[in-house]
Structure formats: structure tokens, C-alpha cells
Amino acid sequence: MILRRLRVQHFRCFRNPVELSGLGLGVHVVHAPNEMGKSSLVLALARALFDRYSTKDREIQNLRPWGTNLSPTVLVELDAGGKRYRLEKAFLDGAMSTLDEWTGTKFERLADSHDADERVRRFLLSSGAQVGATKLGQWGLARLLWLNQAPERHELPSLDSSLKSRLMDAVGVVALSEAEQRVLKGVEKAYLQYFTSKKGKVAAGSELERSEEAVRSLGAVVEALHAQREVMARHATECEEARVSLDELGRERAGYEEGLARLQEQLRWESRLEQQLALQEKDVQRARQEWAALDQKQRELLSLRRSVELHRVVAGEKEPGLQVAREALVREEAAWGEAKETHLGRLGEQDKAEQRLERGRLLERARQSLEEQRRLEVQLRQGERLEKLLEGSRKRADVSKALSDAEVRRVEEAERKQRQAQDRLDVRGIQVGFTPEAPQTIEWEAQGSVQRHKLAKDEQKLFAGVTSGSLRIKGVGEVRLSTGAEEVGKLQAEVEKYRKEVARKLQEHGVKSLQELRERWDAQRAVLQAHEKHEEALTTFLEAADVESVEALREQLREQAGRVGALAGQLNLSVEVLDAQPSPDLEELADELKVRRQEVRAREKVKDEAEVRYRQAERHARMVSQEREGALESARALELELTTRLEAEGLTLEQLGAKVVESGDALARLENMLKGLREQLPRPEERASSRCRQLEEARERVLEAERQAQARIIRAEALLEQGGESGAYSRLGEAEEKLALAVEAHQRLRTRAEAADLLRQRVRHWQEQVNRTFVAPMEAAVQARLSHIRGEGRRESLVLGADLDDAGLRTQDGARALAQFSWGMQEQTLFALRLALGELLSRQGHAPEPQLVVLDDALVNTDSVRHARALDLIATAGESLQVLILTAFPERYRTLRGLKEFDLRALAHDSASAPGRVA
């Protein structure tokens, strides 16, 4: 199929019609920036070729321009099967589909509605969608040849039977006959009776699966019965073993009970000894507490006495340091007072220097203000002079009688009309002269007859006193004249009327002639111009002085005089003697003030340092005094606490020490008695109580074991009785017999299934050889183009699946799927596949036909070197294919020879701005 013309309207971003025409074999580049509708053109072509015109699902609804209810329409002219067709299709509200065929002179209707849709789909071997929009996988040859912007662009196009037959015809592989196909279907049907198609597992619900299930079920029954028989044997053994164990446990329990009876007397003696030991431990604990309390009191009182002595020693040591600190405090206080006096003196000198500098600055400002006052006085005198001139010109303008320009023009207009009327009165006819540049024959009417006269070159013919007539000149035309000179009376009345009007207007202004009126108007205008000149001069002066009026300038002068007087008053001088005052040297005064300030800062620093030293000495003396007083106070408080606690005890420290010794001796005697009692008792593990506890625990364990043995005997006897009632042995024989028969039947089915599998493997091997013969030419064609793009030195070879639904590259490390390579490698492979398939379909087979290859931004991830090599392939393919490239980068394809270029943005703009278009 070759696309000849494509027109799109009311389709997504194309509200106005956009058309690509003049298409044919070769390379066509449609370029525009992103979001301008390049992919929408491809989608419009696909919807027209593959979708039913009556489809109204969501995908078709989304084709409307945003915010409108317009019906998308597409017109396609194409060549297919050696004929030209025109397809016009509209969707949604105005849905329709028509297919016309070119008969050599015009297009004539071939089909419409669904018949038109079916015929067009057959051109591209498309199956189409029964419901809704056609998916990409149903685009037939377009799925093989178009690389558009759909999400599935990186997926390999798969083949259905019609596409595969078409490609097999192109590569010269003979398709299977109907008998061969029936044999293959029979083999596949026999295989599918037993196994699944894809994974080769046993098919669910098949006879083989049911047989296997029967064998497994019977085997499980036999195993269960065997297990039941083994369980019954174990129960009998367990019952016998439990009875033997029960007898042994009875003998062991009797021995434990006899040992417990022998230990009762020893247990009572140990109990009485433990009671005596507990009473003695209490006496020892009480005596230990009394001794510990007395010892603690003695330690605390001795510690208090040592603390009192220590604090008194510390107070004595602080006395010399306190005396030294007080002497240092007196010295630092004297130094601080001297530094303060010096600092105050320097501050006085600084204040005097500041006053001198301030007076100098004040005198400088007073002089500047006086200069400003004098400048304002000069400006005021100039402004008053201009104001007087303006007032004089205004008075002169007011004295003269106002005469407007309009009044003068009215008088002039009346005189002009009088003069025109007089001129018409003076003319009783009209004189017409004609002088030819070359010999001419003229005609005129006179007294109702036509007169002719031939004039030589430069000869003049005069016509005077005529009232009306026409002059015809051959080769030039006709001139008609009408003077109206017969209305003399009317003209005289009109002249008199205008004369009176002029006289009246001149009399109104007190002049005798229009010339005198003009002279008066010129004099008045000169006065006005002088007034305007004075007014403009005053305005310019006020703008230069930055004031609104002369009165404002007077106010500024008064304010400035006030400021000068105030400054003179601050200086205690009169205004007249300001100029006589010597000019102060402000820099010298400022330098002097700077020196004074530096001296003040230096003396202030000395003062601050003396104050810091005084404060430090004061803090040190206070701290030493506080430490001494604190030590004395602590000694007195501790001594008072020691005396108070001794008085409370009623003892001296020596008496308290003797009492502590006595309490320790009593504690030692009690501990010796406790030790003797403990030596009479045996070790804990040898006491009768421990042995009795061990024997009782052993007897309890034996009793528990006897109960468990009795329970096992009862349970085993019950299970044995149940097994005998169920007839397990007879059921086991029947189940084993059924299992043998089921295994034999399953083996027969398994043999048939394995035979079907083996036959299918042989058929598959044969089909793979046929597919290899079919795929190998396409692999070679794609590999040749891919090698050209990638350049020399790359050894990977392309491997395609039998239905083109799988692809990979065979490397030194083995085969790898195409999806494992980079985006650039994937898109280069898919690009090469489209060109290879297009050229195979266009050049080979029993009915080769040129094809359309669409590349919508097909090489966006390819570097510049490989892109240039890909352009060589596109140029070669353009000799036998129609290559439609849609891109946002037209400069990448301008080197292609024979290129046809379409600027989509310009086409859309021209369509929107065409007369009658509504955006």
C-alpha cells in the first residue's frame, strides 16, 4: 500500500483541516515541535484504515478536539493492488464510510459503510476489532511496517496465519498443503488429549489424568490399610510392654515407702535442733544491732570533734591573708580616686574643644545662610522685574479692544465672496482656447449645427462669449462647458449683498478697510505675543528658581532671613558683623577635638583598669573575710552539736568507747554459741528432710508412671478391639487387587500418551526446520542493516522467533534476549526490521507491491554516528518503499536525497488563517 493523500479534520489537535498531498514513493519528512500533532496524523490514518466507522467507544470519543462535539473526519487516497482508491470516513455524530475507485478519469463509488471498512482492511491483511477500537496487534501489515509512538513500540510484532503466509510467499517458502495441515492438526489433537499445549504437563480432566488419579487414590487406600495393620501390631506390643512396666513400678514404689518410714525419727531430732538454732540466731542479730548502733554513735561524735578542730585551724590560717587583702584594698582605692580626677580634667578639655568646633561650624552655617539670603534677594529683584513687565503687557492688552481671529476671517470671507460674485458679473461669457501638440480636427456646436476645423501643430483656436457647449476632440474625448453668464441680474444683487455685509463688519470694528482691520489685528497680536513672551520668561524663571510664584520666593527670602538672624543670635553677633568675623579653621579644630578625645579615652581606660583592680581587691578581701568567719561559725556550730549529743547520751566520749567494747564482747560470745549449734546439724544434703523430700518426689513420679502405663493399656486394648471389628485385613486384600488392575490400565494409557508426545516432537522438529527456512532470509536482511548501523567489529548475530514474537542476539557468552540490551540497540533493531520487511514485501513474492513504512521518532536514542548510517539505509529503502518520517528534529534528515519535506506547524497555521476558517 502507498499513501497518496491524507486529510484530517476535527481530529484531536486538528480542529481545522490539515492535508498532506503529493505523496508517493521515496522519503517524506513531516516535522513540527512536540505536541503539534505528528503522532495524531499516524493515529488518524490508522483509525481510518482499521476501525469501523460506527465505533463509539471511549478511544474514539477521545478523538474529538478538546471541549468540542465535532465529528472526526479523515480522507485517505492510496494505491493498493495496482489500483488507486479514496477512502473518506467520519466517526461519532456524522459517522459514515465511503470507498471510491479511480477509473482513469474520476473517482467512482465502490463501497460504503461496513463493506467499505472490510475492503480497506483486506488491503493490509487486518482482522479488525468486532467491538470497539482496533488494537495495535490487529493492524495487519501496518503492525509489521509502522514504528509509531504506541506504548507497544518496543514489542516485536507477532504473526497471524495471513501475515505469515504473506511473508512466506515473499521469502519463497511453500506453505503446507491442506492434507499436511490436517495431519498436523490430528497429531496436535492426539497430543492435547493427554498433555497441555505450552508446558507439556498432563492435561486437566484428561483420561490419563483420571487414570493417574485412580492409581494414586487406590495406592493411598492400600498404604492406609497397611499403616492401620502396623498400628494394630504396635498397639498389642505396647499393651504387653505397659503391663510389664506396671509390675516393675509397683516394686519400686514399695521400696521408696519403706525408706520414708525409717527416716521419721531422725526427722523429728533435726526439727528440734533447727528450732534452737533459730532462737540463737535472733539473739545474735539483736546483739549485733546494739553493737553497730553504739559503734556508729562513737564514730559520728569523733568525726564531729575532728571537724571542730579542723575549722579552727582554717580560721587561724586565714588571718594573715585577710590583713594583706585589706592593705591592698586601701592602695587600689587611692589609685582609682586619682585616675578619676585625671579623667574628669581631660573631659573638661574635650568639652571646650567641642564647643570651639561647634561655634566654628555654626559660624560657617551662618555665613552660608547669609549667602543664600543674598542669592534669594537677587532672584527676588529679577522676579519682581519680570512680574512688572508681565503686568504692563497685560494692561496694554486689556486697553485695546479685543479682536478675535475668527472675526477677521469672517470679514475676509465676506470680501472674498464679494470678489467672486463681481468676477462672475464681469464675465458675460467664457473664453476657451485650445492648442494641440500635433495636428488635430476639432468639432463644436454653434446655433444647433456641428462645426469642424482642422488645426495645425501649435495653432490656437479661441471661443469667447459662449454660454454653454461641448468640445469633442478625436482620440481625446469630449469637454462640456456651462457659464451661466445670462444670470447678470442675480449676480449684481449678490455682489451688492456681499458689499453691504463687508461694510457693516468693518463699521462694527471702527475701520474703513480690510487692510486697516488686518493692521489692527497685527498690532493686537504683537501685544499678545509680548505678553506671552513675558509670561513665558516669568514661568521659566520660577521653574529655574523651583518656586510656584514670586510671592513664594519672597516667603523663602523671609524664612532665610529668619534663619540667618537665629544663627547670628546663637553666635551672639549681629547680622552686619558676620562677614567681619575671621573664618575658623574647622580641620584644625576637628584635629584638636580628636586629640582631646583620644586623651579622654586613654584616661578613661586607666580609670577603668584602676576600678577593676579596686573591685578585684575588694572582692578578694571580702572573700577571705567570709572564709574566716565561715570557718569560725562552722567550728562553733559543730562544737555545739557535739556537746548537745553527749548530753543527750549522758556519757562522755571515753565512757561511750567502753560501752562499745562491752557490747562487742557480748556479741562474740553469742556468735560462738550459734556456731556450736550449727556444727551439730548435718550438711543440708545429708539431712533427713532432704532425703525424705527426694524419696517422696521419686514415689510421686512412680505413681504418675503407673497411671500412664494403666492408661496406655486401656487405650491399646480399645484400639485393638476397634481394629478387629472393622475387618482391616480383608479390606487390605481387596484394595491390593484393585490397585494392580488400575496400574495395568494406566500403563497402557501412558504408552499411548508417550507415543503421541514422541510423534508431536518429530512434527515440531520438522516445523522448526520449515520455520528456520522461513525466518532465515528475514534474519539475514535485518542483520545486514543492523551491522551497517553498528559498524565493523561487532560479532553479535540476530535471532528471530518463528512468529517474530521473540528476538535476541547471539553473543560469545550465549544468546541474550533483546530486552536485555540498551534502548538504542532495541530501537535500531526494530527500525532495521521494518525496513527489511518492507523491502521483502515490495520486491519479492508472486505479487510484490510497494509498501508504506512509518517511522515516528524512530531513532531518538541513537547517537549521531549510527544515525548517519541509518540515513543511508533510509535513502536506499526510499527507492522501493514509501518512507514517512515524523520528527521534531528535521535537520537530522535534510541530507537525504530526494527528500519531500512537510512543515506541519505551517500547514496547521495556514489552515487556521484561511478565509472562512473558525479556530
Side-chain angles (χ1 to χ4, degrees):
M1 184 202 82
I2 293 297
L3 181 65
R4 294 295 182 181
R5 179 186 172 205
L6 175 63
R7 186 175 186 270
V8 179
Q9 186 177 11
H10 302 161
F11 194 95
R12 293 176 70 171
C13 62
F14 299 117
R15 184 175 296 187
N16 296 311
V18 173
E19 181 174 322
L20 300 180
S21 59
L23 306 177
L25 283 179
V27 181
H28 307 73
V29 174
V30 180
H31 62 83
N34 291 329
E35 307 298 330
M36 287 296 295
K38 301 186 299 297
S39 299
S40 296
L41 281 180
V42 180
L43 182 61
L45 178 60
R47 292 299 176 217
L49 295 176
F50 306 121
D51 285 338
R52 296 178 181 274
Y53 76 96
S54 57
T55 301
K56 295 184 178 182
D57 69 350
R58 182 177 297 275
E59 290 190 38
I60 303 301
Q61 295 286 346
N62 291 337
L63 300 180
R64 296 184 192 268
W66 177 255
T68 71
N69 290 322
L70 300 174
S71 299
T73 61
V74 185
L75 185 144
V76 182
E77 288 187 14
L78 55 94
D79 290 352
K83 297 181 180 180
R84 177 166 294 185
Y85 300 93
R86 182 178 65 194
L87 171 66
E88 189 171 1
K89 185 174 290 190
F91 296 95
L92 302 176
D93 298 338
M96 65 91 179
S97 179
T98 60
L99 180 64
D100 299 333
E101 182 180 2
W102 180 255
T103 60
T105 57
K106 63 179 179 178
F107 281 106
E108 294 186 1
R109 184 59 44 85
L110 181 63
D112 58 13
S113 301
H114 292 292
D115 185 25
D117 291 347
E118 292 297 330
R119 286 176 179 265
V120 172
R121 279 197 292 268
R122 285 199 294 269
F123 293 161
L124 293 170
L125 304 179
S126 169
S127 58
Q130 297 300 321
V131 179
T134 305
K135 305 302 180 185
L136 182 62
Q138 300 169 327
W139 287 9
L141 286 176
R143 179 68 179 106
L144 297 180
L145 303 178
W146 296 8
L147 193 58
N148 59 348
Q149 288 286 1
E152 303 90 343
R153 74 178 274 141
H154 288 289
E155 297 178 5
L156 286 164
S158 57
L159 301 178
D160 56 19
S161 58
S162 58
L163 290 176
K164 192 168 184 178
S165 298
R166 179 71 175 85
L167 287 175
M168 291 177 72
D169 175 68
V171 299
V173 177
V174 179
L176 296 176
S177 65
E178 294 184 2
E180 290 171 333
Q181 291 181 1
R182 286 197 299 272
V183 170
L184 294 178
K185 290 179 180 179
V187 171
E188 188 69 17
K189 181 178 180 181
Y191 175 80
L192 293 177
Q193 290 180 355
Y194 304 107
F195 302 105
T196 59
S197 175
K198 293 184 178 180
K199 296 185 178 180
K201 296 182 178 180
V202 176
S206 64
E207 186 178 2
L208 181 60
E209 185 190 42
R210 293 194 299 272
S211 174
E212 289 181 349
E213 182 63 29
V215 171
R216 283 195 297 272
S217 176
L218 290 173
V221 171
V222 171
E223 289 179 0
L225 291 174
H226 276 292
Q228 185 177 0
R229 186 177 65 179
E230 293 175 358
V231 167
M232 290 176 65
R234 285 199 303 272
H235 289 333
T237 304
E238 183 180 359
C239 183
E240 185 62 28
E241 291 176 351
R243 287 193 179 94
V244 173
S245 177
L246 189 60
D247 294 341
E248 294 177 354
L249 289 172
R251 290 191 294 272
E252 184 178 356
R253 177 170 49 81
Y256 292 147
E257 291 175 351
E258 183 180 355
L260 286 171
R262 289 195 300 268
L263 290 173
Q264 290 302 317
E265 183 61 29
Q266 184 180 354
L267 185 61
R268 287 191 292 271
W269 175 78
E270 287 179 355
S271 178
R272 288 193 299 271
L273 191 58
E274 286 176 350
Q275 290 176 0
Q276 294 176 7
L277 185 61
L279 292 174
Q280 191 66 32
E281 285 178 346
K282 290 180 180 179
D283 292 341
V284 170
Q285 184 66 24
R286 186 169 53 256
R288 183 178 290 109
Q289 291 175 353
E290 291 176 358
W291 172 81
L294 291 172
D295 184 64
Q296 182 64 26
K297 288 178 181 178
Q298 182 187 21
R299 291 175 184 275
E300 291 175 356
L301 293 174
L302 289 173
S303 177
L304 282 173
R305 188 168 66 179
R306 285 194 298 272
S307 298
V308 170
E309 294 174 354
L310 180 61
H311 283 90
R312 285 178 177 169
V313 170
V314 170
E317 292 175 350
K318 295 295 182 181
E319 190 66 34
L322 179 60
Q323 184 63 30
V324 173
R326 286 173 178 171
E327 293 175 357
L329 179 61
V330 172
R331 289 195 304 272
E332 295 300 334
E333 187 177 9
W336 181 31
E338 182 182 355
K340 285 195 290 186
E341 290 296 331
T342 306
H343 178 250
L344 289 174
R346 294 293 188 272
L347 280 176
E349 295 177 0
Q350 176 183 336
D351 291 340
K352 292 177 181 178
E354 287 179 349
Q355 290 174 2
R356 289 193 295 273
L357 178 61
E358 184 62 28
R359 181 175 179 80
R361 289 174 177 169
L362 189 61
L363 179 59
E364 188 68 22
R365 288 201 300 274
R367 287 184 170 178
Q368 291 176 357
S369 297
L370 184 59
E371 291 295 328
E372 179 65 17
Q373 178 183 349
R374 291 170 178 169
R375 186 186 65 80
L376 290 174
E377 289 174 350
V378 172
Q379 285 185 341
L380 180 59
R381 287 195 295 272
Q382 183 180 359
E384 288 175 343
R385 182 178 60 79
L386 292 173
E387 195 173 36
K388 289 179 181 179
L389 292 174
L390 179 63
E391 185 64 25
S393 64
R394 183 183 295 112
K395 288 179 180 179
R396 288 194 300 273
D398 293 341
V399 168
S400 62
K401 185 178 180 180
L403 181 65
S404 65
D405 185 31
E407 292 174 341
V408 175
R409 285 198 299 272
R410 282 196 293 271
V411 175
E412 291 177 344
E413 180 65 19
E415 187 184 29
R416 184 183 63 79
K417 289 181 180 178
Q418 178 189 353
R419 190 169 56 253
Q420 289 177 350
Q422 185 65 44
D423 291 342
R424 288 196 300 272
L425 180 62
D426 293 340
V427 177
R428 297 300 180 95
I430 199 162
Q431 179 174 300
V432 179
F434 176 72
T435 303
E437 295 179 355
Q440 293 282 349
T441 298
I442 61 174
E443 297 179 354
W444 69 92
E445 288 186 4
Q447 299 178 354
S449 62
V450 178
Q451 306 291 326
R452 295 181 178 84
H453 179 71
K454 186 173 182 180
L455 292 177
K457 182 178 181 181
D458 295 332
E459 181 184 356
Q460 186 177 23
K461 178 66 177 175
L462 297 178
F463 302 89
V466 299
T467 60
S468 64
S470 63
L471 177 67
R472 292 186 297 275
I473 304 173
K474 287 186 178 182
V476 177
E478 183 178 10
V479 180
R480 291 183 176 85
L481 302 173
S482 177
T483 65
E486 69 276 6
E487 300 177 354
V488 174
K490 294 180 181 179
L491 291 174
Q492 290 175 344
E494 187 177 358
V495 168
E496 184 64 20
K497 182 184 72 169
Y498 287 126
R499 186 188 64 76
K500 290 180 179 180
E501 183 178 357
V502 170
R504 181 177 56 80
K505 290 184 180 295
L506 292 175
Q507 186 178 2
E508 287 177 357
H509 294 289
V511 295
K512 297 180 179 180
S513 65
L514 180 61
Q515 181 64 29
E516 186 178 352
L517 182 65
R518 288 195 183 97
E519 291 174 355
R520 182 177 174 183
W521 163 241
D522 292 338
Q524 178 180 334
R525 189 163 53 186
V527 171
L528 291 176
Q529 288 176 352
H531 177 70
E532 291 175 356
K533 180 180 179 182
H534 294 152
E535 188 175 17
E536 183 180 359
L538 180 60
T539 302
T540 304
F541 167 75
L542 293 176
E543 289 178 354
D546 195 20
V547 293
E548 295 181 357
S549 64
V550 176
E551 184 60 33
L553 189 59
R554 289 193 188 97
E555 182 63 28
Q556 286 186 6
L557 179 60
R558 285 194 292 272
E559 291 177 357
Q560 187 63 30
R563 283 194 289 272
V564 171
L567 292 171
Q570 292 179 15
L571 293 169
N572 199 18
L573 297 172
S574 64
V575 176
E576 291 75 12
V577 299
L578 278 177
D579 286 336
Q581 291 294 317
S583 298
D585 191 347
L586 295 180
E587 293 184 358
E588 183 179 350
L589 293 175
D591 292 340
E592 181 184 0
L593 177 59
K594 185 176 180 181
V595 170
R596 299 304 176 207
R597 285 176 177 172
Q598 290 175 351
E599 291 177 353
V600 167
R601 285 196 294 271
R603 300 314 304 175
E604 185 177 8
K605 182 178 180 182
V606 171
K607 177 182 74 70
D608 293 341
E609 291 174 351
E611 183 180 4
V612 169
R613 289 194 297 272
Y614 168 72
R615 299 299 181 192
Q616 290 176 350
E618 185 181 21
R619 285 195 299 272
H620 180 64
R622 189 184 303 112
M623 181 181 66
V624 173
S625 177
Q626 289 174 354
E627 288 176 353
R628 175 179 172 278
E629 292 298 327
L632 291 175
E633 183 66 27
S634 298
R636 286 192 292 270
L638 292 173
E639 187 175 12
L640 179 61
E641 182 182 358
L642 176 61
T643 304
T644 302
R645 292 182 65 176
L646 287 174
E647 289 176 356
E649 294 292 336
L651 299 171
T652 64
L653 278 174
E654 290 76 9
Q655 291 173 347
L656 182 59
K659 194 172 181 179
V660 170
V661 173
E662 182 182 352
S663 176
D665 294 340
L667 176 61
R669 287 194 300 271
L670 290 174
E671 286 179 345
N672 289 333
M673 293 173 63
L674 179 61
K675 183 177 180 182
L677 289 174
R678 284 177 176 168
E679 289 176 353
Q680 292 180 19
L681 274 175
R683 290 196 302 262
E685 64 274 9
E686 295 177 356
R687 294 179 187 175
S689 59
S690 297
R691 294 171 63 192
C692 285
R693 189 163 50 253
Q694 294 174 355
L695 291 176
E696 286 177 352
E697 291 175 357
R699 186 181 65 178
E700 289 299 326
R701 286 194 293 272
V702 170
L703 288 173
E704 180 62 26
E706 287 180 340
R707 286 193 294 271
Q708 292 178 0
Q710 190 66 37
R712 287 201 304 273
I713 291 171
I714 294 171
R715 184 171 60 85
E717 289 178 347
L719 291 173
L720 286 173
E721 186 176 355
Q722 291 176 3
E725 292 175 355
S726 64
Y729 291 100
S730 60
R731 286 167 50 220
L732 176 60
E734 294 175 359
E736 288 178 343
E737 184 178 356
K738 291 180 180 179
L739 176 61
L741 294 175
V743 167
E744 184 179 354
H746 174 68
Q747 190 61 38
R748 289 194 299 270
L749 281 174
R750 189 69 189 178
T751 302
R752 288 198 293 271
E754 290 175 353
D757 183 24
L758 181 60
L759 182 58
R760 184 174 183 263
Q761 291 178 11
R762 296 292 179 86
V763 170
R764 282 292 180 91
H765 178 68
W766 176 73
Q767 283 183 319
E768 288 177 0
Q769 291 179 337
V770 173
N771 289 335
R772 201 65 244 152
T773 306
F774 159 63
V775 171
M778 290 186 286
E779 283 183 354
V782 176
Q783 181 65 38
R785 290 162 176 79
L786 194 58
S787 298
H788 179 78
I789 294 174
R790 301 182 69 191
E792 300 295 333
R794 304 305 296 262
R795 298 182 179 180
E796 297 90 347
S797 58
L798 180 69
V799 180
L800 293 174
D803 292 329
L804 302 186
D805 55 354
D806 189 17
L809 291 177
R810 187 179 292 109
T811 66
Q812 295 178 351
D813 300 329
R816 292 173 57 191
L818 183 62
Q820 296 180 8
F821 289 84
S822 66
W823 285 112
M825 183 59 192
Q826 293 182 46
E827 73 176 11
Q828 291 159 25
T829 303
L830 296 173
F831 163 79
L833 177 63
R834 263 64 182 193
L835 292 185
L837 293 179
E839 294 192 57
L840 284 173
L841 293 171
S842 300
R843 295 177 176 178
Q844 299 182 22
H846 73 281
E849 180 182 2
Q851 298 294 330
L852 167 64
V853 174
V854 177
L855 304 175
D856 189 357
D857 274 339
L859 300 170
V860 294
N861 296 301
T862 300
D863 59 70
S864 58
V865 175
R866 294 189 178 187
H867 193 278
R869 296 171 183 160
L871 293 183
D872 296 339
L873 298 179
I874 294 175
T876 303
E879 299 174 359
S880 59
L881 297 175
Q882 182 184 41
V883 182
L884 182 62
I885 299 173
L886 299 103
T887 180
F889 306 98
E891 63 277 3
R892 297 181 180 178
Y893 298 92
R894 290 201 176 110
T895 58
L896 288 170
R897 57 183 181 272
L899 169 70
K900 289 185 179 180
E901 190 173 353
F902 298 88
D903 188 344
L904 184 58
R905 179 165 60 180
L907 292 174
H909 180 268
D910 294 344
S911 175
S913 60
R917 296 293 184 205
V918 180

